[in-house]
Amino acid sequence: MQLQRKNRLRATALGVIAVSSALALTACGSDNNSGGSTGGNGGTTTGAASAVKCDGAKGQLLASGSSAQKNAMDLWVKNYMAACKDAQINYKSSSSGEGIVGFTQGTVAFAGSDSPLNPQQVTDSKKVCSGGGQGINLPMVGGPIAIGFHVEGVDSLVLDAPTLAKIFNGKITKWNDEAIAKLNQGAKLPDLAIQAFHRSEDSGTTENLTKYLAATAKSDWTYAPAKKWAAPGGLAASGSAGVAASVKQTNGAIGYFELSYAASQSIKTVDINTGASAPVKASSANASTAIAAAKVAGTGKDLALKLDYTTKADNAYPIVLVTYEVACDKGNKAATLPAVKSFLSYAASADGQKLLTDASYAPIPAEINAKVVDAINSLS
């Protein structure tokens, strides 16, 4: 217990370091994500922020939540604030759980969450969305949850759902285990202990990964999907940045985080054997293939999606997430409503969505995104 506690403290400390380094590693991160503003205000601008329409937005807009979308949010905030000098967007990258708490308590104008509001959270949102309003889910960022690994001498790795489940619940403990070797014939797998890292805090990324494991490895993953990590053992790290940093620095490590973190830190990722004609790589294009098959499960302006984690379609990467921006459909505060609509409109625009592929995310499919734009326009 004492050793495990020390490992957890060490991994959490790595997460703190990684949060700072992630800004430097992100190709076009925000120059000022919490302070002053730059650019011009008014109509449509030219250059990198040509799609930004300020529409009278001014003052400070506070938002928080999902760390999965942090690198995308950095890009959006930078471009938006370059165009709208009178508006200041302050997005705190923490976790989906913290974002939703902030939203239902009325301390943020919108929240980022990697899973849609549950019924209790919808009820709680009605207390802050005045005039009969409630929180709605607006899918804004898609992408693969990469399974990153660091095993010296191993450059590529294929795993399937049952093997992943056994790795993350501690039933497979060595990299040369027979189950791993069978999926990687010819690979020189070392007799090395597996160090499996998971998120230390409530996380929508964790929930989406465990939805995948629960749907595809039912006999090996017996825990209900949840934001809180439920399996025994393993090592904990704070945020996607913390898990990624821990994997990069630890020989024998494996962990899960958004592909943008793997890309920015040159972390190798696992190909998933889904039963398709070939193992599927974690990529923006392959995630888009999977997300395009999602169905809208919400009603009215709520656009919560139902993902198919059991897909066996070729080139469909199954471990995906969709990050939602959660906002009031009506009853938004008058002081921040123009900025909320203006900023989210930019994020959902063709230019805003194009940035996602460049940052190793996946754009929201056009048919669904058109509904998102309509819902944003109707916010009141």
Side-chain angles (χ1 to χ4, degrees), residues 11-27 29-31 33 67 70-71 74 93 238-245 249 261 264-265:
T12 300
L14 287 171
V16 172
I17 295 170
V19 168
S20 298
S21 63
L23 286 173
L25 292 165
T26 302
S30 172
D31 291 332
N33 199 25
S67 66
K70 178 193 179 303
N71 294 337
D74 284 348
S93 173
S238 177
S240 291
V243 175
Q249 296 179 25
Y261 290 93
S264 67
Q265 300 190 47

Side-chain angles (χ1 to χ4, degrees), residues 181-193:
K182 187 180 295 185
L183 291 163
N184 297 272
Q185 295 185 15
K188 295 182 179 179
L189 299 169
D191 182 13
L192 177 68

Side-chain angles (χ1 to χ4, degrees), residues 103 117 122 125-126 129-130 132-136 299 302 327-330:
F103 178 72
L117 296 171
V122 172
S125 73
K126 294 178 180 180
C129 302
S130 60
Q134 66 177 51
I136 58 172
T299 58
D302 182 84
C328 295
D329 57 355
K330 57 182 178 180

Side-chain angles (χ1 to χ4, degrees), residues 142-160:
I145 300 174
I147 307 298
F149 71 97
H150 176 186
V151 181
E152 292 179 6
V154 178
D155 293 326
S156 63
L157 190 67
V158 175
L159 296 174
D160 58 14

Side-chain angles (χ1 to χ4, degrees), residues 290-303:
I291 294 171
K295 305 296 183 184
V296 176
T299 58
K301 297 299 182 182
D302 182 84
L303 298 172

Side-chain angles (χ1 to χ4, degrees), residues 30-169:
S30 172
D31 291 332
N32 186 354
N33 199 25
S34 61
S37 51
T38 59
N41 191 28
T44 304
T45 65
T46 59
S50 62
V52 178
K53 296 182 180 179
C54 302
D55 291 334
K58 60 183 179 180
Q60 186 179 67
L61 189 154
L62 300 179
S64 70
S66 165
S67 66
Q69 68 171 355
K70 178 193 179 303
N71 294 337
M73 190 62 71
D74 284 348
L75 292 169
W76 288 334
V77 168
K78 179 179 181 179
N79 284 355
Y80 184 85
M81 290 176 59
C84 305
K85 70 166 71 174
D86 293 334
Q88 182 178 332
I89 310 298
N90 189 338
Y91 180 83
K92 179 185 177 183
S93 173
S94 51
S95 68
S96 298
E98 289 186 33
I100 295 302
V101 168
F103 178 72
T104 56
Q105 292 181 347
T107 60
V108 296
F110 71 87
S113 177
D114 304 327
S115 54
L117 296 171
N118 62 38
Q120 182 58 54
Q121 290 166 341
V122 172
T123 297
D124 293 343
S125 73
K126 294 178 180 180
K127 300 173 184 177
V128 296
C129 302
S130 60
Q134 66 177 51
I136 58 172
N137 303 286
L138 302 171
M140 200 70 72
V141 182
I145 300 174
I147 307 298
F149 71 97
H150 176 186
V151 181
E152 292 179 6
V154 178
D155 293 326
S156 63
L157 190 67
V158 175
L159 296 174
D160 58 14
T163 308
L164 271 175
K166 292 174 185 176
I167 287 172
F168 279 114
N169 66 16

Side-chain angles (χ1 to χ4, degrees), residues 30 37 123 129 141 179 207 260 265 267 275 281 314 335 354 376 378:
S30 172
S37 51
T123 297
C129 302
V141 182
E207 184 172 21
S260 61
Q265 300 190 47
I267 298 172
K281 293 184 178 299
D314 286 349
K354 182 181 181 300
I376 293 170
S378 71

